[in-house]
Amino acid sequence: MDARSRRQAGLTALYLGVFATIWFSVPAADPPLRAALVVASGLALLTALLGAVVVVRTGRAAAALARDRAADRRYGVIVAVEFAVAVLGALALAGLGWSEFVPVLVCAVVGLHFVPLAPVLRDRLLVPLGAALCLVALAGLVVALTSSVQAGLVVGTGAGLLLWGYAALALLTTARTA
């Protein structure tokens, strides 16, 4: 694995590990699930820290090689649109008194944003990750509408597991080729 690819995998582990940690913090769960979510959150954060170590070890030369101004702009636009849609949607749901469904919306938006990011980041596996996140959002919505289980429990746990799994996979690819 070249330095650029190693750096990209480290960044993937770093970012998705952090976001997995955040998603594991969404659900309000009772023991023993709460303890499992805390442990998973800690392991996801450890994955993120190991990703940061990979990024630092690849050094500045790999960072310079990885710079693509056009891709950086596309990335920025995609993330800005994602953020705007998530915030405006969350505000609309809260205004309507449907705050319980904010995690569903945010998870779906995050899943959808991976589709246009896949070619920008040159990572075709982001598309199935995005699809899986959209399915988690749908599952959270269905469960919340048909039972007493909160959508945030389903979505936070599911999204956390998917993002952490992808972060760990990225980290393992750097270890395998080191």
Side-chain angles (χ1 to χ4, degrees):
M1 177 178 267
D2 65 6
R4 179 180 176 176
S5 298
R6 235 175 111 66
R7 182 176 191 280
Q8 186 63 40
L11 285 169
T12 297
L14 170 61
Y15 293 153
L16 296 187
V18 167
F19 285 114
T21 300
I22 293 167
W23 276 107
F24 284 134
S25 301
V26 167
D30 294 326
L33 180 56
R34 185 73 208 143
L37 289 171
V38 169
V39 169
S41 183
L43 291 171
L45 188 57
L46 177 62
T47 303
L49 292 172
L50 292 172
V53 168
V54 170
V55 170
V56 169
R57 285 190 175 176
T58 57
R60 294 185 192 271
L65 286 174
R67 299 304 297 187
D68 177 348
R69 301 280 183 224
D72 288 349
R73 277 191 300 281
R74 286 191 306 273
Y75 178 87
V77 168
I78 292 165
V79 171
V81 169
E82 170 204 18
F83 186 76
V85 170
V87 168
L88 293 173
L91 290 172
L93 287 174
L96 293 168
W98 298 338
S99 296
E100 176 189 350
F101 300 108
V102 169
V104 171
L105 171 78
V106 172
C107 185
V109 170
V110 169
L112 290 172
H113 105 290
F114 280 123
V115 175
L117 272 184
V120 172
L121 297 176
R122 298 182 195 120
D123 186 351
R124 60 180 164 58
L125 292 178
L126 289 175
V127 174
L129 174 63
L133 284 166
C134 289
L135 289 174
V136 165
L138 180 61
L141 178 63
V142 169
V143 167
L145 292 174
T146 61
S147 75
S148 62
V149 176
Q150 295 289 312
L153 181 62
V154 174
V155 173
T157 304
L161 287 170
L162 285 170
L163 294 173
W164 177 34
Y166 200 89
L169 179 65
L171 197 59
L172 288 174
T173 62
T174 67
R176 213 173 340 131
T177 59

